[in-house]
């Protein structure tokens, strides 16, 4: 009888030890989160900035739309995002006029940042006193007939001598804050076309307005009207140094 009880106690003891070891193994793996699976891929979905309503991944749009293939440098796109981020607008449209390119190139870009689409890539004129093929002189002065650099906000449409036109508000003091008084607007023009380029080697020029081809002017104006961001760029040292909108790099949050 004693021998039977002794064997029973040994069996119970061994089972207790075994169960204890199993419990330790379970606790170990629970604590480590089963990290024995290496490099498990985790997809992070871009989220909206709740305060501004602007997505955190807009710089990626440059690569997604292959904007380098249509002549837009990534640095210029990043500059444009800096200003767009600071402008009080819920509009997803970002329009870039890249005056570092000659007027014979399609240097206007209308990008829908939220839907990640390049809506327009076309020709755009510069002011007659800003240069011939290249724009290299800029002014904020009335009757200068020169283009004005910097960030603008689009306003309302109206019917003028060029048909449907779009009023603009310059946001940068000393660079373009006089454009409304100068009647600098976005409009269509018959001198902005490939026939003129073939004949003269460049587009016709405006009195300072960003004029676009008539055939596309209505669609562009309807897409960007009502408070969206327009950026007129040139690698002008004074502007790049003094612009408050370019003071800080684009941030994703």
């Amino acid at each position: 009888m004693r021998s039977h009880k002794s064997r029973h106690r040994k069996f119970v003891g061994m089972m207790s030890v075994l169960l204890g070891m199993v419990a330790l193994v379970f606790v170990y793996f629970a604590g480590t989160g089963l990290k024995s699976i290496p490099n498990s891929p985790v997809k992070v979905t871009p989220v909206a900035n709740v305060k501004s309503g602007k997505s955190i991944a807009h710089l990626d749009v440059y690569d997604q739309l292959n904007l380098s293939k249509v002549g837009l440098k990534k640095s210029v796109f990043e500059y444009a995002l800096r200003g767009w981020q600071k402008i009080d607008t819920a509009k997803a449209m970002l329009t870039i006029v890249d005056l570092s390119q000659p007027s014979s190139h399609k240097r206007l870009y209308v990008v829908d940042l939220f839907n990640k689409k390049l809506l327009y890539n076309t020709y755009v004129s510069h002011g007659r006193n800003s240069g011939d093929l290249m724009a290299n002189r800029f002014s904020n002065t009335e009757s200068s007939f020169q283009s004005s650099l910097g960030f603008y906000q689009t306003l309302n449409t109206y019917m003028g001598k060029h048909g449907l036109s779009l009023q603009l508000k310059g946001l940068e003091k000393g660079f373009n804050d006089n454009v409304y008084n100068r009647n600098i607007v976005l409009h269509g023009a018959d001198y902005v076309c490939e026939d003129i380029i073939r004949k003269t080697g460049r587009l016709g020029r405006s009195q300072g307005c960003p004029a676009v081809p008539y055939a596309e002017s209505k669609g562009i104006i309807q897409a960007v009207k009502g408070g969206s961001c327009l950026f007129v760029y040139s690698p002008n040292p004074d502007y790049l140094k003094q612009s408050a909108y370019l003071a800080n790099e684009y941030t994703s949050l």
Side-chain angles (χ1 to χ4, degrees):
M1 182 64 69
R2 288 180 181 178
S3 176
H4 176 73
K5 290 182 179 181
S6 176
R7 286 197 299 270
H8 178 72
R9 283 195 296 270
K10 287 182 180 181
F11 176 76
V12 171
M14 291 175 63
M15 290 298 295
S16 298
V17 172
L18 181 60
L19 290 173
M21 292 176 66
V22 171
L24 286 173
V25 171
F26 177 81
V27 169
Y28 171 78
F29 281 108
T32 57
L34 294 177
K35 292 180 181 178
S36 58
I37 303 175
N39 301 323
S40 179
V42 178
K43 292 184 178 180
V44 179
T45 303
V47 296
N49 182 334
V50 175
K51 183 176 180 180
S52 67
K54 298 179 179 179
S55 171
I56 67 173
H58 295 307
L59 191 55
D60 295 338
V61 172
Y62 180 86
D63 295 320
Q64 292 168 0
L65 296 180
N66 294 315
L67 294 180
S68 63
K69 292 186 178 180
V70 288
L72 184 64
K73 293 181 179 179
K74 193 167 189 176
S75 59
V76 178
F77 186 71
E78 193 268 344
Y79 280 149
L81 285 177
R82 294 189 200 186
W84 174 80
Q85 190 174 52
K86 294 179 181 180
I87 293 173
D88 184 18
T89 178
K91 296 284 185 176
M93 299 301 167
L94 174 60
T95 305
I96 301 171
V97 175
D98 183 4
L99 296 184
S100 69
Q101 300 182 44
S103 66
S104 57
H105 288 190
K106 293 183 177 181
R107 55 185 182 170
L108 179 138
Y109 308 85
V110 179
V111 181
D112 183 339
L113 294 172
F114 287 175
N115 293 309
K116 300 178 182 179
K117 293 181 179 180
L118 177 61
L119 300 182
Y120 293 93
N121 174 213
T122 192
Y123 300 105
V124 61
S125 69
H126 55 254
R128 67 178 65 166
N129 288 338
S130 283
D132 293 328
L133 178 63
M134 299 292 301
N136 47 41
R137 296 183 297 276
F138 308 97
S139 176
N140 192 37
T141 305
E142 192 168 353
S143 300
S144 66
F145 295 165
Q146 294 183 22
S147 299
S148 299
L149 297 178
F151 287 92
Y152 299 65
Q153 197 159 20
T154 64
L155 299 177
N156 301 315
T157 62
Y158 69 98
M159 293 300 296
K161 64 180 181 180
H162 297 289
L164 184 67
S165 303
L166 179 64
Q167 294 175 318
L168 301 172
K169 177 183 178 181
L171 301 177
E172 301 207 61
K173 188 174 182 180
F175 289 104
N176 65 12
D177 59 331
N178 199 33
V179 297
Y180 188 86
N181 295 329
R182 292 175 59 201
N183 294 317
I184 301 300
V185 300
L186 177 63
H187 64 78
D190 55 9
Y191 54 78
V192 183
C193 65
E194 293 184 346
D195 284 343
I196 297 294
I197 295 174
R198 282 191 289 268
K199 293 175 181 177
T200 66
R202 59 167 171 79
L203 289 181
R205 295 162 299 168
S206 68
Q207 294 183 352
C209 298
V212 296
Y214 262 130
E216 297 171 287
S217 61
K218 184 176 180 180
I220 292 171
I221 289 170
Q222 294 290 359
V224 306
K225 68 179 181 180
S228 70
C229 175
L230 166 67
F231 178 46
V232 179
Y233 167 80
S234 175
N236 179 273
D238 291 336
Y239 172 71
L240 294 179
K241 183 178 180 180
Q242 298 177 42
S243 173
Y245 285 85
L246 300 182
N248 300 305
E249 292 185 1
Y250 169 75
T251 55
S252 59
L253 292 175

